Amino acid sequence: MVVALVTGGTSGIGAEFARQLAHRGYDLVLVARDEARLASTADDLRGLGVSVELFPADLSQRADVDRVAARLEDPARPIDFLVNNAGFGMHIPLTSHDVEGLDLGFEVMCRAVLVLSAAAARSMRDRGEGRIVNVSSTAGLLAMGAYSAIKAWVTSFSEGLAVELKGTGVTVTAVLPGWVRTEFHQRAAIRTSSIPNSLWLDAEQLVTACLRDVDRGKVISIPTIRYKVLVGLLRHAPKSAVRGVSAAISSGRKKPVEA
C-alpha cells in the first residue's frame, strides 16, 4: 500500500493531483479547511477504489501545521508522496499597511511548505524512498509583488531541499504552473480577460506533466513546450525587461474601478 498526502486537495490543482495519484493506486490523505468539501471530494475519490483519510486543517494556524507534520512523520502510517499545494492568490501592495494579509501568505505558502516538506523528508529519508512535490508558479520568475516573492522562495527552497536529499532515495520537484483553469483566479479577484487563450492550461494537463517529471527525478517541472520557451526567455532576459513584463501583466490583471 502506498499513501499520498495532498494539501489543498479539494479543488483545482490539488484535487487533480489527488485524482491522478488515486488512479496510480495511492490511498489518500486530504488536507483542507472546508470539512464539507473534504467529505464530498473523498466520496468521489473512493469511487476510484482507494481509501481516503480526511484531515481538516487550516495551514495558516501553526498548531494545525504541526498536526499535519506529525501525521507525515507517523511511523505506523507512512506517507510515500507529499503534495504541498495549498495556497491562494495575493495582490496586496508591498507598501500596504495590511501586514496581516502578507503574513497569511507567508504562513500558508512558505512556512507550511517548509515544515511539512521537512517532516516528510525526515520520514522518507529514514525509509530510503519518497516523493515531495511543491506547487510553485511561473510568477516566481516575475516581479509581481508578494505572490511572486513567495513563489520564488518555494522554487528556491525546493531546489535546496533536493540538493540536501540527493542520494537518499527521496526526490523533490517544484512544479511551476502558468495560468491554469481553476477557481484560483476567481477567488483572488484577479481579472483574466486579457490573458491569451494559448497560455491557459487545464489542471489535468499540468498534473500529468508534473507526475511524468517526478517519475524522471526532475527537480523543476514546467508544463508544455510553450511554457518551457517562455520560462527560458524570462531566465535569460535582462532584469529590466522582466520588470517591464511584470508591470504590464500586473496592470492587465487589475480590476477596473467602478464609478
Side-chain angles (χ1 to χ4, degrees), residues 5-7 29 31-32 55-59 61-74 79 82 84 112 115-116 119-120:
L5 186 149
V6 182
T7 70
V29 180
V31 178
F55 203 117
D58 181 348
L59 298 185
Q61 303 300 311
R62 295 193 175 188
D64 280 10
V65 173
D66 289 342
R67 288 195 301 112
V68 180
R71 176 66 183 86
L72 285 162
E73 290 196 90
D74 184 349
I79 299 296
L82 167 65
N84 276 311
V115 173
L116 300 185

Side-chain angles (χ1 to χ4, degrees), residues 24-245:
R24 287 179 169 222
Y26 283 84
D27 289 330
L28 298 165
V29 180
L30 297 184
V31 178
R33 292 180 300 170
D34 189 328
E35 294 189 44
R37 200 163 186 179
L38 271 173
S40 175
T41 303
D43 286 343
D44 292 340
L45 291 168
R46 288 179 183 128
L48 300 176
V50 300
S51 69
V52 183
E53 176 186 339
L54 306 188
F55 203 117
D58 181 348
L59 298 185
S60 70
Q61 303 300 311
R62 295 193 175 188
D64 280 10
V65 173
D66 289 342
R67 288 195 301 112
V68 180
R71 176 66 183 86
L72 285 162
E73 290 196 90
D74 184 349
R77 298 179 297 165
I79 299 296
D80 305 280
F81 201 123
L82 167 65
V83 180
N84 276 311
N85 166 75
F88 48 86
M90 298 176 67
H91 46 91
I92 302 168
L94 293 173
T95 52
S96 173
H97 287 290
D98 183 14
V99 178
E100 182 178 352
L102 296 172
D103 282 344
L104 184 66
F106 293 145
E107 289 290 331
V108 174
M109 293 183 282
C110 288
R111 186 180 184 278
V113 170
L114 167 67
V115 173
L116 300 185
S117 294
R122 288 190 294 269
S123 179
M124 292 173 179
R125 182 183 58 197
D126 289 345
R127 300 194 309 273
E129 61 180 348
R131 304 287 178 262
I132 297 170
V133 170
N134 293 325
V135 178
S136 186
S137 174
T138 52
L141 302 170
L142 295 167
M144 297 191 296
Y147 186 77
S148 282
I150 283 171
K151 290 304 185 179
W153 181 89
V154 172
T155 301
S156 181
F157 166 76
S158 301
E159 291 184 284
L161 184 60
V163 170
E164 190 171 319
L165 293 172
K166 186 175 181 180
T168 66
V170 183
T171 66
V172 183
T173 302
V175 58
L176 278 60
W179 285 281
V180 184
R181 291 186 178 91
T182 68
E183 58 193 68
F184 174 90
H185 298 92
Q186 181 180 358
R187 284 182 171 182
I190 296 171
R191 190 174 65 172
T192 60
S193 58
S194 62
I195 300 170
N197 286 334
S198 61
L199 292 181
W200 283 103
L201 300 172
D202 292 325
E204 180 178 1
Q205 181 182 22
L206 168 71
V207 172
T208 297
C210 177
L211 292 178
R212 184 169 57 244
D213 287 340
V214 171
D215 293 340
R216 295 170 176 170
K218 287 192 174 182
V219 176
I220 301 296
S221 175
I222 300 167
T224 75
I225 295 298
R226 60 184 180 274
Y227 268 104
K228 286 180 171 66
V229 170
L230 288 172
V231 166
L233 291 172
L234 286 172
R235 283 176 168 167
H236 292 95
K239 289 295 185 181
S240 58
V242 173
R243 291 192 294 271
V245 170

